[in-house]
Amino acid sequence: DTAVSQTPKYLVTQMGNDKSIKCEQNLGHDTMYWYKQDSKKFLKIMFSYNNKELIINETVPNRFSPKSPDKAHLNLHINSLELGDSAVYFCASRGQNTIYFGEGSWLTVV
Amino acid sequence: GNSVTQMEGPVTLSEEAFLTINCTYTATGYPSLFWYVQYPGEGLQLLLKATKADDKGSNKGFEATYRKETTSFHLEKGSVQVSDSAVYFCALLYNQGGKLIFGQGTELSVKP
């Protein structure tokens, strides 16, 4: 069973579109995250939720809106996609002293 | 602020060579330290971790020791294989506050 799963794995879309990436964890953790990996492989946190409450928002444009319907799910919705949004987006969840990552979602905006 | 610095890549080695990837950190308090690995086209996998000073994390022949006096967590492997080719990320995490802070990643390429 995959501990942190995210869909879709690959997404190619046009500028200006709206898209969502879904994430689910079956680890029973309270805290989940979204990270962005840019073309130089640099990883930066975007958001963190604890038990459905937003606790970290790292100056991400408000075109990005996370939604947590329950503590096992943290979805990322992106409005009006721009070329610069092309990246790999990783969902993660936190257990005791360790953070587990999903397989990543490769987003390409054309 | 808290930060992690890794040695610049790419690092290119021959199979069976000894590997060291340097990692130093700046932090207040006592974070936990991690190495994650990303194989080509794949996600992030936890390689090893250490939660307190002098702890040694180890996995798949890789080791790293949490050195508080030098604020370092260098990754080592005695004999690398072609299959170790990947990007390696050093990271720190506080027990409170919650966010994992990454170094910039070091690409390793192992040639047969």
Side-chain angles (χ1 to χ4, degrees), chain A residues 1 13 23 37 42 52-54 58-59 61 63 65 89 100 110:
Chain A
D1 278 349
T13 188
C23 178
Q37 185 177 44
F42 189 72
K52 304 192 296 175
E53 298 290 327
L54 178 67
E58 290 277 321
T59 60
R63 297 183 296 104
S65 52
Y89 293 86
Y100 301 91
V110 297

Side-chain angles (χ1 to χ4, degrees), chain B:
Chain B
N2 304 321
S3 65
V4 177
T5 302
Q6 296 179 227
M7 64 188 285
E8 292 276 336
V11 173
T12 303
L13 295 173
S14 297
E15 208 164 22
E16 299 183 5
F18 185 86
L19 168 70
T20 301
I21 300 179
N22 290 338
C23 171
T24 57
Y25 67 91
T26 302
T28 54
Y30 305 97
S32 295
L33 300 174
F34 303 84
W35 279 98
Y36 284 84
V37 58
Q38 186 177 26
Y39 297 102
E42 297 188 13
L44 287 164
Q45 299 177 27
L46 177 65
L47 182 59
L48 53 84
K49 70 175 186 181
T51 58
K52 61 183 188 297
D54 300 325
D55 268 2
K56 179 187 281 188
S58 60
N59 186 24
K60 300 181 182 180
F62 291 89
E63 293 183 339
T65 301
Y66 188 160
R67 301 283 188 204
K68 183 169 176 292
E69 63 277 12
T70 53
T71 60
S72 65
F73 192 55
H74 304 321
L75 182 68
E76 296 182 337
K77 187 175 185 183
S79 175
V80 293
Q81 305 301 312
V82 172
S83 57
D84 294 326
S85 299
V87 181
Y88 292 82
F89 294 92
C90 186
L92 70 82
L93 175 69
Y94 279 103
N95 291 336
Q96 291 82 32
K99 70 179 178 183
L100 195 62
I101 297 171
F102 285 94
Q104 71 270 38
T106 302
E107 183 179 358
L108 171 66
S109 177
V110 181
K111 307 294 185 188

Side-chain angles (χ1 to χ4, degrees), chain A residues 62-75:
Chain A
N62 57 15
R63 297 183 296 104
F64 291 78
S65 52
K67 287 192 170 47
S68 182
D70 55 62
K71 74 174 192 177
H73 295 84
L74 180 61
N75 304 323

